[in-house]
Amino acid sequence: MSHPLRGAAAIVGVATAGIGEAAGFTATEILAQASHAALADAGLTLRDVDGLFTNTAVHSHPALSIGEYLGLRPTFSESSSIGGASFVAYLITATMALQARLCDVALICYGSNQRTALGRLEAKSGSQSYEAPYQPRHPITSYALATARHMHRYGTTRAQLAAVAVAARGWAQRNPEAFMRDPLTVDDVLSSRMVSDPITVRDCCLVTDGAGAVVMVRAERAKEFPKAPSYFLGGAMAHWHMQIDQLPDMTVTAATDSGPRAFAMAGLSPRDVDVLQLYDAFTINTILALEDLGFCRKGEGGAFVASGALAPGGSLPVNTNGGGLSCCHPGMYGIFTIIESVRQLRGEAGERQVAGAEIALCNGNGGRLASQVTALLGTAATL
Amino acid sequence: MTGQQIPGVQGVGGADRRFKEALAAGRFDIQRCRSCGSHFFYPRVICPHCGGSEIEWVAASGRATVHSTTTVRRKAEQGGDYNVCIVELDEGPRMMSRVDGTPSDDVRIGMRVSASVAGAGDGAFVVFHVDGRDAQQEGAR
């Protein structure tokens, strides 16, 4: 018997706003623009929204501030934060709330103007007190330590890590919305500025502005909307730590837990997935996610990505929008994994379209490799 | 929690305060769960391994192995590059720290290191030196 949440809700609207630089706009303004556009994509308006799922780096009570700004009176709202993965987690909670009839139209939304407002990562979570004396550069140093450990343990090389950034750039060159579209080679990555060894600036995600919004409804209504629905097939979250020194094995993330549970809910396995959107805060993220979700064996992620499998024309399309490394990264990237998945499942991805994409996987990451949320989305044919 | 008076540690409070007061007195203490026997770091009032609340303080051996290491690049005028590492204490727990006395680029995973207390008072913290190299201690142990 299939899981009660499998296929219970569907995404019927998506939109982005202010991707790259949104000079002169606040985070909330571009969030509102994305929300308005996602609802228009679904043939709806803000008047129809009764479920709000939102988070930002600038509001202490995001649902209250965003709800007020948008003029909403939600019957259900959710803004718990597990970092950048939160928005993928909202796919699960929105599906639950819709199925339980706590709301009828769920709006998942996010916005940040960190690039034009600050020029750096905007984050609520700085160093923890036991880390603070050592001045780790948050969050880069934690990812550098995990990367160094993976290199030590499995022989992963900087050139293999660079292949992740090169593949992402290859996709970004096919995405007019992507912020960085200049050619990028492995040598370019290797010779770029070192930030926290072995991570260079090109192993790091971008610092951009950007907003995104996703509209979900119960599956029974999903075909009433203008665009082909993308159904929630399965999802699961897991987190084991906050500080990187508390992760039991620094080469194994909680995606080894969230992934199998998401696949089990969906009744699917990695071989069924047509396109992946993996939260690539750093090049190591993509390698760890591929290993931990079962797309290659532990320790073989470096060789796998260096084979070119992820890039346009490769066997496993990953981060087809260009990812956080080349498309956009406004601080909490998770919602963009959903939006690109939907665009692929609808066949709207233009030059970067993966032919015949029926099943998409989103994997959100939050904190320092901490929260992992895996979700599987599919077309009507996958129900 | 242990109720016994610990030399050099004044007053009452939780694990965080107890840890920092010991550090201020030049000592690096860690915790061990009386229920499951696990050592753990950072300081807590419950054991993260079994949820137990009967916890005792022990002096850390100070012996550890570099588990991972990075050099954070910083402009010279802002103080220059510096080391940040994860060490695995011989007792089992890992902690973020820094290797002093060795150029950061020469710090390697697997190196044996020993703890000392750097800084003073509220600013005291644990650093490590590579064994057999510059073993100069920055604080009393």
Side-chain angles (χ1 to χ4, degrees):
Chain A
M1 199 180 91
S2 74
H3 192 284
L5 291 183
R6 188 193 194 277
I11 297 167
V12 295
V14 295
T16 56
I19 298 293
E21 292 181 336
F25 288 85
T26 70
T28 307
E29 286 169 347
I30 58 174
L31 177 151
Q33 290 176 333
S35 299
H36 187 269
L39 287 158
D41 189 47
L44 296 170
T45 74
L46 283 161
R47 295 281 174 215
D48 298 304
V49 175
D50 59 359
L52 177 61
F53 300 75
T54 190
N55 222 303
T56 72
V58 293
H59 299 105
S60 55
H61 300 81
L64 303 186
S65 298
I66 300 302
E68 175 189 85
Y69 189 97
L70 298 177
L72 303 179
R73 293 188 172 190
T75 56
F76 187 87
S77 67
E78 141 85 315
S79 53
S80 58
S81 182
I82 51 171
S86 299
F87 304 89
V88 188
Y90 298 157
L91 287 178
I92 304 171
T93 45
T95 298
M96 292 165 62
L98 288 163
Q99 190 201 39
R101 299 184 180 273
L102 301 177
C103 61
D104 293 323
V105 174
L107 173 67
I108 305 173
C109 52
Y110 166 71
S112 162
N113 64 340
Q114 63 173 11
R115 180 182 182 87
T116 51
L118 298 173
R120 59 174 167 79
L121 171 69
E122 181 172 50
K124 287 178 188 168
S125 60
S127 288
Q128 308 298 294
S129 67
Y130 300 104
E131 295 180 333
Y134 311 105
Q135 302 179 62
R137 191 166 163 195
H138 173 71
I140 297 171
T141 299
S142 294
Y143 286 88
L145 290 163
T147 304
R149 189 70 201 168
H150 200 277
M151 293 171 72
H152 172 80
R153 178 93 176 265
Y154 299 112
T156 307
T157 66
R158 285 188 54 211
Q160 290 172 338
L161 292 155
V164 173
V166 170
R169 185 61 59 87
W171 286 112
Q173 290 179 307
R174 289 160 172 75
N175 179 8
E177 192 175 53
F179 187 63
M180 292 197 81
R181 304 181 69 201
D182 297 336
L184 183 74
T185 67
V186 167
D187 284 342
D188 291 337
V189 178
L190 295 178
S191 61
S192 60
R193 178 171 57 87
M194 190 63 77
V195 181
S196 186
D197 299 52
I199 289 181
T200 70
V201 67
R202 291 277 80 86
D203 289 292
C204 300
C205 63
L206 306 175
V207 174
T208 68
D209 301 339
V214 171
V215 180
M216 289 187 93
V217 298
R218 271 186 296 285
E220 69 210 24
R221 301 178 57 196
K223 289 185 176 169
E224 299 169 11
F225 297 89
K227 300 287 181 70
S230 298
Y231 292 87
F232 174 86
L233 300 179
M237 65 177 86
H239 55 89
W240 301 336
H241 73 286
M242 175 69 185
Q243 302 181 186
I244 197 69
D245 61 357
Q246 303 292 306
L247 177 57
D249 181 336
M250 287 170 62
T251 67
V252 178
T253 74
T256 53
D257 182 7
S258 65
R261 284 191 282 115
F263 278 116
M265 186 186 290
L268 297 170
S269 69
R271 77 180 70 88
D272 299 314
V273 176
D274 299 312
V275 59
L276 291 81
Q277 309 302 332
L278 308 175
Y279 191 121
D280 54 342
F282 299 90
T283 50
I284 191 66
N285 284 84
T286 303
I287 289 174
L288 291 172
L290 289 166
E291 292 174 348
D292 292 346
L293 296 170
F295 290 89
C296 63
R297 295 206 306 209
K298 179 51 67 181
E300 296 180 0
F304 183 67
V305 300
S307 74
L310 284 53
S315 59
L316 190 72
V318 170
N319 295 351
T320 50
N321 60 346
L325 291 166
S326 281
C327 179
C328 69
H329 199 305
M332 298 167 86
Y333 175 75
I335 200 165
F336 303 100
T337 68
I338 305 167
I339 293 167
E340 177 65 7
S341 293
V342 170
R343 288 172 171 169
Q344 288 287 345
L345 294 177
R346 287 176 174 180
E348 291 180 347
E351 198 187 341
R352 66 186 191 281
Q353 179 65 44
V354 174
E358 300 279 356
I359 294 174
L361 180 148
C362 310
N363 194 72
N365 168 84
R368 302 84 181 269
L369 285 173
S371 59
Q372 301 290 321
V373 188
T374 311
L376 289 146
L377 302 173
T379 64
T382 65
L383 286 176
Chain B
M1 301 294 299
T2 177
Q4 68 199 43
Q5 190 66 34
I6 292 112
V9 177
Q10 305 296 320
V12 295
D16 178 77
R17 178 169 172 171
R18 165 68 177 77
F19 174 72
K20 288 172 179 168
E21 286 180 349
L23 267 187
R27 288 200 322 278
F28 174 30
D29 291 348
I30 61 172
Q31 292 170 291
R32 181 170 60 200
C33 175
R34 286 186 174 140
S35 299
C36 73
S38 299
H39 291 86
F40 57 90
F41 185 86
Y42 51 91
R44 296 162 164 98
V45 298
I46 56 97
C47 169
H49 298 289
C50 75
S53 60
E54 290 296 314
I55 293 159
E56 62 186 353
W57 288 93
V58 295
S61 71
R63 308 297 316 285
T65 303
V66 175
H67 189 74
S68 194
T69 181
T70 184
T71 302
V72 182
R73 303 295 172 174
R74 183 173 58 181
K75 290 174 182 168
E77 59 267 30
Q78 293 170 347
D81 300 345
Y82 58 98
N83 180 258
V84 176
C85 62
I86 304 290
V87 300
E88 185 168 286
L89 304 176
D90 282 6
E91 293 89 341
R94 293 196 199 120
M95 64 183 290
M96 183 174 281
S97 190
R98 185 176 82 203
V99 172
D100 281 350
T102 298
S104 184
D105 286 343
D106 293 341
V107 177
R108 296 280 179 269
I109 292 172
M111 278 181 164
R112 293 289 292 163
V113 292
S114 295
S116 60
V117 178
D122 291 344
F125 59 102
V126 178
V127 298
F128 288 82
H129 288 79
V130 176
D131 289 356
R133 293 208 187 185
D134 177 8
Q136 183 183 348
Q137 304 284 293
E138 295 189 13
R141 272 189 54 78

